[in-house]
Amino acid sequence: MPKTIIKITKKIKNNKKNDIHLDVYITLLEGFSGCQKLVEFQRVQICKTCNGNGDYENSQTNFCQHCHGTGRSSGGFGKPLQKCNFCNGKGFTSRKICQDCQGQGNISQTITLNVQIPKGILQGGELRLHHQGEQPNQEESQKGIEAGDLYLNIHFDEDKNFVLVENANLYLKQALTINLLDFFAETKIEIPQINGEFLQHKLNAEDYENGKIILKNCGYVGFGKNSKNGDLIVPLDIKIPKNLSTKHKKNLQKILEEIKE
């Protein structure tokens, strides 16, 4: 079950019940590919036992608030007392109270939803599920009060291989060890990706800058219609060959002289 933190936001205006905010934690790969996630939380909703009206089996008796238990009420100045219309002259009112919700018409219950997390969602991104917050009871519904909304605040668990930087750029944590001569020979190397696959990349000295190479549009997937993929940033650990023969050194010197010309 995913780790969640529940926060309820009070809604005073717009005739809505309370919104509910959940902090949902997913992996970086789940965010990259999109996923189904089970979220579990407590929500106030209509009591199924009484169907939201608060009345069911158990009786509850209260003094009538209109006649204060006398069973009689004034018909007006100078007129004799008459039977109270609210309690029918009994002085008390009796109501069958639902035992599960204690007559409130709604009850707090554990809700489990299977939610689709879209691919490309970013750290701190928010998903809104309309009318999945607190639910109105029958009386509130008749007054036009709507259910609140459910907001999912997305957070990423730490990934062992990648860090998400500058929104959609992926930074490889472990530097790749590369021989200096591999650049000049334009050797092909395998670069790990977030989805577990490997990208074949041909080394080029022009790509190298400040200890890393940047592969355009090979990072985290873009989110939304107008978004583009981020870049994949790969740090390199350049090793200088130490076992060059005299012949190799002379060949390299010849190459350097040709380059200078």
Side-chain angles (χ1 to χ4, degrees), residues 149-205:
D149 298 325
L150 174 64
Y151 290 89
L152 302 181
N153 302 307
I154 304 301
H155 303 275
F156 289 131
D157 293 323
E158 184 177 356
D159 190 88
K160 65 178 182 179
N161 296 319
F162 293 90
V163 176
L164 190 61
V165 295
E166 298 175 352
N167 289 333
N169 293 335
L170 280 177
Y171 186 90
L172 184 63
K173 288 183 176 180
Q174 183 65 42
L176 299 183
T177 301
I178 302 296
N179 190 298
L180 177 62
L181 299 181
D182 287 333
F183 273 107
F184 302 106
E186 295 189 344
T187 304
K188 281 188 176 181
I189 62 172
E190 289 188 338
I191 298 177
Q193 295 180 287
I194 184 66
N195 58 4
E197 298 178 356
F198 286 87
L199 178 68
Q200 298 290 329
H201 179 70
K202 189 176 184 180
L203 287 174
N204 189 319

Side-chain angles (χ1 to χ4, degrees), residues 26-37 115-122 154 156 159 164 170 193-197 219-223 229:
I26 63 175
T27 66
L28 192 56
L29 178 58
E30 287 175 329
F32 176 85
S33 304
C35 64
Q36 294 281 337
K37 207 73 175 176
V115 179
Q116 176 66 43
I117 307 295
K119 65 179 181 179
I121 189 74
L122 294 174
I154 304 301
F156 289 131
D159 190 88
L164 190 61
L170 280 177
Q193 295 180 287
I194 184 66
N195 58 4
E197 298 178 356
Y220 196 71
V221 65
F223 183 62
N229 292 353

Side-chain angles (χ1 to χ4, degrees), residues 24-134:
V24 178
Y25 291 80
I26 63 175
T27 66
L28 192 56
L29 178 58
E30 287 175 329
F32 176 85
S33 304
C35 64
Q36 294 281 337
K37 207 73 175 176
L38 287 177
V39 294
E40 185 177 282
F41 59 100
Q42 292 291 318
R43 181 176 74 186
V44 174
Q45 63 178 33
I46 293 175
C47 176
K48 295 181 179 179
T49 305
C50 64
N51 199 30
N53 60 30
D55 298 339
Y56 191 79
E57 291 186 350
N58 298 327
S59 295
Q60 176 176 297
T61 301
N62 295 308
F63 281 112
C64 177
Q65 298 297 316
H66 297 275
C67 68
H68 304 288
T70 63
R72 296 287 184 267
S73 62
S74 173
F77 181 75
K79 294 183 179 180
L81 294 176
Q82 58 187 17
K83 182 171 67 174
C84 177
N85 293 327
F86 291 93
C87 64
N88 200 27
K90 296 179 181 179
F92 62 89
T93 57
S94 181
R95 178 188 173 192
K96 293 182 177 180
I97 297 297
C98 175
Q99 186 175 5
D100 289 339
C101 68
Q102 300 301 312
Q104 297 300 311
N106 50 28
I107 191 171
S108 179
Q109 291 185 340
T110 299
I111 304 298
T112 301
L113 296 177
N114 192 10
V115 179
Q116 176 66 43
I117 307 295
K119 65 179 181 179
I121 189 74
L122 294 174
Q123 170 77 12
E126 188 175 67
L127 299 177
R128 178 191 178 195
L129 279 67
H130 193 51
H131 284 174
Q132 289 294 339
E134 290 191 358

